[in-house]
Amino acid sequence: ESQGVMTVTITFDETKKYFHLQNESVSYVIALEEEKYVSHQYWGKRLNSFSQVADYPRQDNAFAPNPFEVPGRVFSLATLPQEFPGNGSGDFRESAFECLYPDQTTVSLLTYKSHEIVTGKQPLQGLPHTYETKEEPAETLLLTMEDTVTKVEVVLSYTLFRDYPVLTRSASFRNNGAEDIHLNKALSMSIDFPDADFDMIQLPGAWGRERQIVRTPLVRGIHTLDSKRGTTSHAYQPFVALADKTATEDQGAVYGFHFVYSGEFRANVEVDTYAQTRVQMGINPTHFQWHLPVGEAFQTPEVVLVYSENGLNGLSQTLHPFYQKHLIRGQHQLAERPVLINNWEGTYFDFTAEKIEAMADEASTLGIELFVLDDGWFGKRDDDYSSLGDWHVHTAKLPSGLKQLAENIKAKGMLFGLWFEPEMISEDSELFRAHPDWCIHTLGREKSLSRSQYVIDFSRKEVRDNILAQMMAILDDVPVDYIKWDYNRNMTEIGTAAPGALPGEVLHKYMLGLYEVMEALVAKYPQILFESCSGGGGRFDPGILYYMPQTWTSDNTDAVARLEIQYGTSLVMPISSMGSHVSAIPNHQTHRKASMKMRGDVAMAGNLGYELDVTTLSEAEKQEMKEQISFYKEHRKLVQYGVFHRILSPFETQNEAAWIFVSPEQDEALYFYYRVLDRANLKKKKVLFKGLDSAKYYTVSGYEGVIGGDELMNRGLYLKDALQGDFQSVCLVLKEAQSV
Ligand code: GLA
């Protein structure tokens, strides 16, 4: 064993027939029971070695079927923990896949065929994926299984990263048979835990209240979190975790699963008749059916599996840097993000070039670095009934053109950003009149409208090419530094007018088409910072992060609502990916009036922006904004790329939240405390810190002298400020100091 040197190894024991994937923090063990049934043995804290192989309890369980090849009654797929279970051949739990053969049967059984252990990680062609780097490498096990009757082959890919308790899994199906088949279901991964003593953690939501943390005891049954809405959607994050019942924010084992895909997904957690737990994740089979001709392959997207022995903060502290370094790409990957102003809530559709320039003038004097022109600059778009698909400037609104406006804004020393909704088409648009069949629809059926728009059919190349050409015409002409890429409805009547297309292939082909367009744009315009959006955070998933380093977290800009949304989002998403803006009061979504201080303190816990009409603010408000912005610039590296610890949960306290950003060297930290409603006769609030170095001493802004990290984390300190009234917040700056 190496000492102090990070290692990652994957070994196969030829005699005992097991694979051990291992790095400094985790082990994952797969065994070949009866030399061929691929079974799950272990996933969790690193084991130095594994010795108990083929110890799956051989016993005769009533009504548990036995494979023909294994003599006796003591071996059954109904009880065996597996890695990629088949369909209808002795396992009564949910299968990982379903093949539809030409004779209409669907029975499949996969057994071990061969394997390969390779250094590194192969890219998934056309799909977003995590990648290894020279500094932080990975190893991959390619485990090939086969249905010996139909010759369908499945290659399970397991990549273990050296520096993280992270494993990625995907599956590739190949038809080596003599006839074409269909895949009715092709999940990316399946894993069986030998028991069910867990809590299930999920991030359900809705428009305006995305990613609310819900933790419930796991009970018998099949629990499905999914999307049947075309894309990931607000309703669920493609994420599920199993936590030991005793696991907390900072302690205990948590197993997380996160899908690197932006289309319809299914996450299943099944507790079976023996209280074993199966977790599965992949493309939702509901609208999926893939034609797999002889000799061809189908590659699934991948799932990130993360094991934390340090509770939920441990899970987040793994995922944040992992996504920052192994998923997000490009020039902005690890760059400090500009403070922006977006005109949406300030003007909605009702703006002129003069108005925009006046806002930009004011914003630049306040220190804002990027002006984002939102919806309404194209076609004849004066409301949300028209023009999606017509990506040329709205000349009545911006008579001197977009280029002139962008140049004027840039002359003020700001960057210029632009809103697009490339995947949509308005019924009232030139594009729709020219190509009424270019939207997602089912032939012979009325199409449901949503926000008076249809989803444009990105499964078709000619459609993608048209939109791409329109966008490139703008981007080649106008100096655009930032794009907000929006997507504002759910899909219905999923289908296409493309001749000969299989309806069950449309959605995945749409996603592949979308990824192709995004890849073309990020490759051609590497300087552009992309921010994804879907009615706020409706498509905030790891798939999108591969192309766009940040997402508009929610259309709900209310500071109180944002406490929950950002707290929940931080469970899986790096802070550098979370757009968060200060908006006007009364808030447009909740009608609440939170102070500028509280709104700033909440928005500063992400990529700070403003979304209001700055020209209407009082001098005092502008002064406060100016101070917020310069404070944020001083600390944004710490916020965006520091180590984030959740301290007080708004979901548990209902009235408070707290978190801290700590530098990797633990020599600096930024702490925030928020209190929603006031109450009479409260005692002074004492707060505890996390993530500091217990051997170091710190100064705390507003406090005399220096205080030990151990003291701050264990004894804590009383907040100095008298918190009077509703919507209060406190921000403390901690800096390492010499002890006294
Ligand atoms: C969506 C976005 C908003 C805004 C509007 C514009 O709702 O989430 O931020 O861009 O569209 O129509």
Side-chain angles (χ1 to χ4, degrees):
E1 272 303 298
S2 60
Q3 278 180 348
V5 180
M6 295 283 250
T7 53
V8 55
T9 55
I10 298 177
T11 48
F12 179 61
D13 187 313
E14 289 284 351
T15 18
K16 292 177 166 173
K17 304 277 183 229
Y18 73 92
F19 299 91
H20 190 171
L21 297 78
Q22 164 190 59
N23 66 15
E24 300 296 306
S25 45
V26 288
S27 280
Y28 192 102
V29 183
I30 303 163
L32 305 179
E33 296 278 351
E34 304 295 325
E35 310 245 310
K36 65 181 203 180
Y37 295 100
V38 179
S39 90
H40 180 75
Q41 296 285 322
Y42 177 75
W43 176 34
K45 195 173 167 67
R46 175 197 158 91
L47 308 173
N48 288 322
S49 61
F50 193 80
S51 46
Q52 320 168 62
V53 281
D55 71 328
Y56 152 72
R58 265 73 178 165
Q59 72 173 31
D60 185 1
N61 283 95
F63 284 73
N66 317 109
F68 179 75
E69 302 92 343
V70 189
R73 294 178 176 183
V74 295
F75 185 87
S76 177
L77 295 177
T79 54
L80 183 73
Q82 292 167 70
E83 286 288 318
F84 212 69
N87 198 46
S89 49
D91 181 354
F92 301 110
R93 295 164 286 184
E94 291 284 297
S95 67
F97 67 100
E98 184 180 297
C99 297
L100 177 66
Y101 298 110
D103 62 3
Q104 302 299 306
T105 63
T106 58
V107 176
S108 289
L109 172 64
L110 297 177
T111 48
Y112 171 82
K113 185 180 178 198
S114 64
H115 73 268
E116 215 185 320
I117 294 166
V118 293
T119 43
K121 181 176 195 285
Q122 288 305 307
L124 297 184
Q125 292 308 327
L127 284 168
H129 56 269
T130 60
Y131 55 88
E132 65 150 358
T133 58
K134 230 198 252 125
E135 303 73 42
E136 297 185 340
E139 282 227 353
T140 302
L141 165 66
L142 299 170
L143 206 169
T144 303
M145 298 171 81
E146 187 190 43
D147 186 297
T148 53
V149 177
T150 61
K151 303 293 178 214
V152 168
E153 197 177 276
V154 180
V155 181
L156 302 182
S157 166
Y158 300 80
T159 296
L160 183 61
F161 283 78
R162 188 192 66 182
D163 303 66
Y164 304 83
V166 168
L167 188 83
T168 59
R169 283 189 59 180
S170 68
S172 168
F173 294 78
R174 181 175 290 280
N175 182 1
N176 289 336
E179 287 175 292
D180 289 7
I181 63 163
H182 287 85
L183 293 173
N184 284 344
K185 173 180 182 182
L187 300 182
S188 299
M189 59 86 43
S190 181
I191 189 172
D192 289 337
F193 293 80
D195 44 51
D197 303 324
F198 296 107
D199 284 342
M200 182 169 108
I201 297 174
Q202 50 160 314
L203 293 168
W207 177 89
R209 46 188 157 81
E210 293 90 339
R211 291 169 295 281
Q212 311 282 298
I213 298 182
V214 173
R215 176 172 180 162
T216 48
L218 198 54
V219 295
R220 183 69 192 278
I222 302 170
H223 313 283
T224 298
L225 319 175
D226 76 350
S227 166
K228 294 187 276 292
R229 295 163 180 263
T231 59
T232 34
S233 94
H234 302 84
Y236 297 99
Q237 175 67 199
F239 167 80
V240 69
L242 299 185
D244 270 1
K245 287 189 176 296
T246 55
T248 64
E249 201 68 87
D250 299 294
Q251 279 162 350
V254 183
Y255 299 84
F257 303 83
H258 209 187
F259 196 28
V260 188
Y261 189 60
S262 314
E264 294 188 350
F265 66 92
R266 176 182 287 179
N268 260 2
V269 179
E270 175 175 11
V271 178
D272 74 9
T273 185
Y274 304 103
Q276 307 189 95
T277 307
R278 173 166 291 177
V279 180
Q280 301 181 313
M281 203 171 250
I283 294 175
N284 194 332
T286 303
H287 298 133
F288 174 86
Q289 191 187 43
W290 199 263
H291 178 217
L292 198 61
V294 173
E296 291 199 8
F298 177 80
Q299 172 65 53
T300 73
E302 72 179 15
V303 176
V304 170
L305 290 81
V306 49
Y307 167 75
S308 166
E309 55 174 316
N310 302 312
L312 296 170
N313 270 323
L315 176 108
S316 309
Q317 287 159 13
T318 295
L319 287 179
H320 293 183
F322 180 68
Y323 287 160
Q324 284 167 333
K325 292 191 202 154
H326 296 278
L327 180 62
I328 296 171
R329 301 172 298 162
Q331 275 180 21
H332 304 280
Q333 182 187 0
L334 296 168
E336 290 181 30
R337 305 297 164 73
V339 177
L340 68 80
I341 183 154
N342 178 305
N343 71 303
W344 179 242
E345 284 197 21
T347 65
Y348 294 105
F349 293 104
D350 189 15
F351 59 83
T352 59
E354 292 69 42
K355 177 74 194 176
I356 294 300
E357 285 196 40
M359 288 170 83
D361 271 330
E362 199 65 72
S364 72
T365 64
L366 299 175
I368 294 177
E369 299 157 308
L370 161 66
F371 191 97
V372 180
L373 181 58
D374 209 276
D375 195 356
W377 60 266
F378 54 91
K380 54 179 183 66
R381 184 131 163 126
D382 294 320
D383 53 39
D384 56 16
Y385 286 87
S386 84
S387 303
L388 295 168
D390 300 344
W391 300 105
H392 47 76
V393 70
H394 188 327
T395 41
K397 227 185 222 178
L398 304 173
S400 319
L402 201 54
K403 186 177 185 182
Q404 188 60 57
L405 179 64
E407 281 169 356
N408 292 351
I409 285 173
K410 296 194 73 145
K412 303 178 206 301
M414 297 176 96
L415 300 167
F416 179 70
L418 200 56
W419 182 94
F420 282 97
E421 197 178 359
E423 300 155 80
M424 294 291 163
I425 185 165
S426 303
E427 211 167 27
D428 180 7
S429 67
E430 294 157 27
L431 194 67
F432 187 78
R433 282 184 283 274
H435 301 285
D437 67 345
W438 272 16
C439 54
I440 293 290
H441 67 293
T442 295
L443 290 173
R445 278 190 180 276
E446 292 299 336
K447 305 181 275 293
S448 303
L449 278 160
S450 182
R451 208 192 188 197
S452 302
Q453 64 200 48
Y454 301 121
V455 179
I456 201 164
D457 187 354
F458 265 32
S459 74
R460 298 174 65 176
K461 178 136 175 59
E462 64 273 34
V463 180
R464 297 196 295 271
D465 286 351
N466 176 293
I467 298 299
L468 200 51
Q470 288 197 58
M471 290 181 78
M472 286 182 172
I474 298 267
L475 299 177
D476 289 340
D477 177 44
V478 182
V480 173
D481 304 292
Y482 163 108
I483 287 178
K484 178 173 170 188
W485 181 299
D486 216 334
Y487 177 93
N488 282 316
R489 65 163 288 180
N490 289 148
M491 286 191 205
T492 53
E493 295 90 22
I494 294 163
T496 177
L502 188 66
E505 292 189 349
V506 174
L507 250 178
H508 185 61
K509 285 191 168 160
Y510 178 100
M511 293 318 303
L512 294 175
L514 171 65
Y515 291 143
E516 177 196 289
V517 170
M518 287 181 173
E519 186 64 41
L521 288 168
V522 299
K524 180 154 187 226
Y525 307 99
Q527 78 285 1
I528 294 180
L529 170 61
F530 283 86
E531 176 149 1
S532 165
C533 177
S534 175
R539 200 165 61 182
F540 198 165
D541 58 62
I544 292 287
L545 279 186
Y546 183 68
Y547 306 92
M548 307 197 174
Q550 55 189 64
T551 294
W552 176 225
T553 309
S554 177
D555 273 348
N556 190 342
T557 53
D558 170 52
V560 174
R562 276 292 185 126
L563 290 176
E564 289 185 348
I565 294 168
Q566 294 177 199
Y567 192 96
T569 303
S570 78
L571 187 61
V572 291
M573 292 301 181
I575 306 301
S576 64
S577 69
M578 287 164 50
S580 47
H581 302 172
V582 171
S583 62
I585 47 169
N587 176 268
H588 295 189
Q589 295 79 39
T590 63
H591 317 289
R592 190 174 281 125
K593 292 185 189 169
S595 65
M596 179 65 102
K597 159 102 174 113
M598 166 102 166
R599 282 177 283 153
D601 281 349
V602 174
M604 269 187 225
N607 297 331
L608 176 66
Y610 290 81
E611 182 147 348
L612 39 72
D613 183 356
V614 264
T615 65
T616 61
L617 297 182
S618 70
E619 284 310 315
E621 284 172 308
K622 281 191 275 195
Q623 187 52 37
E624 203 175 344
M625 258 179 79
K626 207 172 173 170
E627 284 161 20
Q628 283 176 353
I629 293 164
S630 82
F631 178 85
Y632 182 73
K633 286 179 182 169
E634 208 180 305
H635 298 283
R636 70 177 145 195
K637 188 165 175 231
L638 183 59
V639 169
Q640 294 166 6
Y641 298 101
V643 182
F644 180 72
H645 300 255
R646 287 176 298 271
I647 298 179
L648 281 176
S649 166
F651 298 104
E652 281 162 26
T653 65
Q654 296 301 325
N655 202 39
E656 294 173 302
W659 47 55
I660 191 168
F661 303 87
V662 184
S663 68
E665 305 76 25
Q666 293 167 296
D667 59 352
E668 232 192 308
L670 196 60
Y671 169 89
F672 288 96
Y673 169 80
Y674 310 91
R675 190 189 67 200
V676 180
L677 297 182
D678 200 2
R679 290 171 76 188
N681 196 20
L682 288 173
K683 71 168 167 53
K684 271 215 153 182
K685 180 75 191 175
K686 186 162 77 64
V687 298
L688 291 172
F689 297 78
K690 284 184 187 176
L692 304 174
D693 184 336
S694 44
K696 284 182 176 162
Y697 286 82
Y698 298 88
T699 57
V700 182
S701 57
Y703 292 76
E704 295 286 310
V706 299
I707 313 175
D710 56 349
E711 190 178 328
L712 289 165
M713 292 192 288
N714 295 299
R715 190 271 179 177
L717 51 74
Y718 284 99
L719 291 180
K720 278 218 161 143
D721 314 33
L723 299 177
Q724 286 178 349
D726 299 337
F727 319 130
Q728 296 290 316
S729 61
V730 172
C731 169
L732 300 173
V733 181
L734 287 82
K735 289 229 155 84
E736 187 184 348
Q738 293 308 310
S739 71
V740 276

